[in-house]
Amino acid sequence: MVSKRQIKIITSLHQKKYRKSIGLFVAEGKKVIDEFLNSHFELDSLFTTDENLFAVHPKVTVISEAELKKISFLKTPNKALALFKISDDKIASAEGFIVALDDVRDPGNLGTIIRLCDWFGVKQLVCSEATVDCYNPKVIQATMGSLTRVNVVYTDLGKYLAEAKLPVFGAFMDGDNVYKTKLPKDGILVMGNEANGVSEEVSKLITQKISIPRFGEIQATESLNVATATGILLNEFKRSLFL
Amino acid sequence: MVSKRQIKIITSLHQKKYRKSIGLFVAEGKKVIDEFLNSHFELDSLFTTDENLFAVHPKVTVISEAELKKISFLKTPNKALALFKISDDKIASAEGFIVALDDVRDPGNLGTIIRLCDWFGVKQLVCSEATVDCYNPKVIQATMGSLTRVNVVYTDLGKYLAEAKLPVFGAFMDGDNVYKTKLPKDGILVMGNEANGVSEEVSKLITQKISIPRFGEIQATESLNVATATGILLNEFKRSLFL
């Protein structure tokens, strides 16, 4: 059974301001919930329509499908919804290889980028304050649990880059051909906003501008989607380690 | 002015069966419409709320914002909606470098893959019959006009691959490390369905299975999104041409 008060709280977590004040986020479906259960994230409560899906636990409540529908953010609710505690503010270190995002706004793009970081062994993703919140329900579902393995930190990106002692690479349409660029093992890769690219402030802190050469016709000026470009550039940084 | 009959026809184009029987598809927003106007696609009609947006033409009708709202598939209609004629069934050639999709179902993924083909100069995308329709409105908006430069053909993929005289590469979780694989200039790259990968029938026709090595922790078995993986593999095939 879910109380009216609980429904109100859970549905409010769709909005960042309530996630921040309440300190909880929503994960749905057994697969995603299991990833968070097997991580450092702390469970607050879990609602499921199938009592056999999870081990008996004081925090698990069996509910009806109608109740799940009331609290779910998905079009087709997926048997279970859990609330986890948002990790305390983490510190952005500047060691190893790091990806930084300058105002990426689309939850699907952030989710894909977190999965890519996980795939390529990037442990830290540093985001500007205006980048979409990683606890946004769409991001949580798109990451498929990768958020449990990638440390996502929100900070003043300009200040962070100015203080970092690593080379800073940025993706620009007019950057150097990435295939001909010597890419170090450690460094920071900055990806910009979907519409405007890297901001002027952050551009000043870039050590080297890089770009993926365009093979198609010249008349077509459209850029690549930011998540796709992040995948290709991460592949370029990491591929030499596997050769 | 848009008639009730026109509204009924246009909104029906959301569904593949009506696009097929009527022979038209919808493109929205000046940018996307301009790409189709400057291509081999033939305009059927164009509706806009701003009479200065397009040149005066018998096929252009100025309408109200309320009318545009009635025919638009977008949450926030974008000043113009056009109907273009669907190209007649094209023939799938097997020359040069080709991407083939085995039942990719998500319109966003297909849109991203068409943009990637355009970026990397791939002129032909061969799709299995069950792959999502490239005239789906979500695909049209996601491609940002790239569909005017990439020839998308639907066919019996098994038959096509069996008859093609090119080496066939397929993306598999357990394939050979792509970084260590000799990749030819001409060939076919097969990408599989989001959930199930490449089908058993098509698997038999693969010359070489390839995979993007995973750099993250071993416990994480999640695969990459199919569009992201296509971007990384296309980059691997094409990068040597730009070195």
Side-chain angles (χ1 to χ4, degrees):
Chain A
M1 156 94 197
V2 196
S3 70
K4 273 198 175 163
R5 195 182 125 76
Q6 280 174 313
I7 294 173
K8 202 176 162 189
I9 290 175
I10 295 170
T11 52
S12 80
L13 297 175
H14 205 82
Q15 287 181 62
K16 186 179 171 184
K17 64 175 177 181
Y18 292 115
R19 288 196 296 275
K20 240 184 148 125
S21 63
I22 298 168
L24 297 174
F25 69 93
V26 170
E28 299 198 54
K30 176 157 174 68
K31 196 174 166 185
V32 174
I33 292 173
D34 273 345
E35 292 260 22
F36 283 101
L37 287 175
N38 294 322
S39 75
H40 63 278
F41 282 95
E42 196 184 326
L43 181 68
D44 175 80
S45 45
L46 198 165
F47 303 91
T48 178
T49 55
D50 179 351
E51 58 183 331
N52 300 316
L53 216 51
F54 297 92
V56 179
H57 188 283
K59 287 181 178 172
V60 176
T61 310
V62 177
I63 60 174
S64 70
E65 298 215 357
E67 286 178 308
L68 180 61
K69 205 156 185 174
K70 279 186 193 157
I71 54 174
S72 174
F73 298 157
L74 303 176
K75 268 188 200 161
T76 317
N78 193 358
K79 288 185 182 166
L81 181 150
L83 305 181
F84 288 92
K85 292 184 184 159
I86 288 175
S87 295
D88 288 319
D89 274 53
K90 295 157 280 186
I91 294 161
S93 78
E95 277 174 28
F97 186 84
I98 290 157
V99 174
L101 302 181
D102 190 12
D103 300 7
V104 167
R105 300 294 172 95
D106 180 79
N109 283 340
L110 179 59
T112 305
I113 292 170
I114 294 170
R115 269 172 86 179
L116 280 163
C117 286
D118 185 29
W119 184 274
F120 283 108
V122 176
K123 301 279 182 217
Q124 187 167 267
L125 181 63
V126 179
C127 302
S128 66
E129 303 283 5
T131 294
V132 56
D133 181 29
C134 69
Y135 297 110
N136 176 306
K138 282 186 192 158
V139 176
I140 294 291
Q141 296 309 123
T143 61
M144 309 284 283
S146 287
L147 188 61
T148 64
R149 291 175 293 271
V150 178
N151 186 28
V152 184
V153 188
Y154 289 79
T155 191
D156 179 331
L157 189 58
K159 193 163 170 284
Y160 169 79
L161 294 175
E163 289 170 3
K165 290 185 177 60
L166 289 167
V168 182
F169 293 82
F172 289 79
M173 289 298 285
D174 62 346
D176 299 330
N177 177 341
V178 66
Y179 307 138
K180 294 185 180 173
T181 305
K182 198 174 150 42
L183 303 172
K185 193 169 148 281
D186 294 345
I188 300 169
L189 170 63
V190 181
M191 303 299 297
N193 171 270
E194 286 87 349
N196 307 314
V198 177
S199 64
E200 226 184 285
E201 185 207 348
V202 169
S203 290
K204 290 175 192 154
L205 300 160
I206 302 286
T207 320
Q208 184 161 12
K209 294 182 178 182
I210 53 176
S211 104
I212 303 161
R214 192 175 214 307
F215 293 75
E217 289 166 40
I218 287 157
Q219 75 203 62
T221 53
E222 194 47 56
S223 64
L224 283 173
N225 163 284
V226 62
T228 318
T230 304
I232 293 170
L233 291 176
L234 270 180
N235 183 67
E236 286 296 323
F237 273 92
K238 297 290 187 173
R239 70 194 299 285
S240 67
L241 303 177
F242 259 67
L243 270 173
Chain B
M1 159 95 196
V2 196
S3 69
K4 271 198 176 164
R5 195 183 126 76
Q6 281 175 312
I7 294 172
K8 202 175 163 190
I9 291 175
I10 296 170
T11 52
S12 81
L13 298 175
H14 204 83
Q15 287 180 62
K16 186 179 172 183
K17 63 175 177 181
Y18 292 114
R19 287 195 297 274
K20 243 186 148 122
S21 63
I22 300 170
L24 297 175
F25 70 92
V26 170
E28 301 199 52
K30 175 155 173 67
K31 197 175 166 182
V32 174
I33 292 173
D34 274 344
E35 293 260 21
F36 283 101
L37 288 176
N38 295 321
S39 76
H40 63 277
F41 282 95
E42 194 184 327
L43 181 67
D44 175 80
S45 45
L46 197 165
F47 303 90
T48 176
T49 55
D50 179 350
E51 57 182 331
N52 301 314
L53 217 52
F54 297 92
V56 179
H57 189 282
K59 288 182 177 168
V60 175
T61 311
V62 177
I63 60 172
S64 68
E65 298 214 356
E67 287 177 309
L68 180 60
K69 207 158 184 172
K70 278 186 192 156
I71 55 175
S72 174
F73 297 159
L74 303 176
K75 267 188 201 160
T76 318
N78 194 0
K79 288 183 185 168
L81 181 149
L83 305 182
F84 288 92
K85 292 186 183 156
I86 289 176
S87 295
D88 287 317
D89 275 58
K90 294 157 282 189
I91 295 159
S93 79
E95 276 173 30
F97 186 85
I98 290 157
V99 174
L101 302 183
D102 188 14
D103 299 6
V104 166
R105 300 294 173 95
D106 180 77
N109 283 340
L110 178 59
T112 305
I113 290 170
I114 294 171
R115 271 173 83 178
L116 280 163
C117 285
D118 185 29
W119 185 273
F120 283 107
V122 177
K123 302 277 181 217
Q124 185 167 266
L125 182 63
V126 178
C127 302
S128 66
E129 303 283 5
T131 293
V132 58
D133 181 29
C134 69
Y135 297 110
N136 176 306
K138 281 186 193 161
V139 176
I140 295 289
Q141 296 309 122
T143 60
M144 310 287 280
S146 288
L147 189 60
T148 63
R149 291 175 294 270
V150 179
N151 187 27
V152 184
V153 189
Y154 290 78
T155 191
D156 180 331
L157 190 59
K159 193 162 170 283
Y160 170 79
L161 293 175
E163 289 170 4
K165 288 184 177 62
L166 288 168
V168 182
F169 293 83
F172 288 79
M173 289 299 284
D174 61 348
D176 300 329
N177 177 342
V178 67
Y179 307 137
K180 294 185 181 173
T181 305
K182 198 172 150 43
L183 302 173
K185 195 171 149 285
D186 295 344
I188 301 171
L189 170 63
V190 180
M191 304 297 300
N193 170 269
E194 287 87 347
N196 308 317
V198 177
S199 65
E200 226 183 285
E201 185 206 350
V202 170
S203 290
K204 288 175 194 153
L205 301 159
I206 302 287
T207 322
Q208 184 161 15
K209 294 183 178 181
I210 52 175
S211 102
I212 304 161
R214 192 177 216 305
F215 293 74
E217 289 167 38
I218 289 159
Q219 76 202 61
T221 52
E222 192 47 55
S223 65
L224 282 174
N225 163 283
V226 64
T228 317
T230 304
I232 293 170
L233 292 175
L234 270 180
N235 183 69
E236 286 297 323
F237 273 92
K238 297 290 186 170
R239 70 193 301 286
S240 67
L241 303 177
F242 258 66
L243 268 173

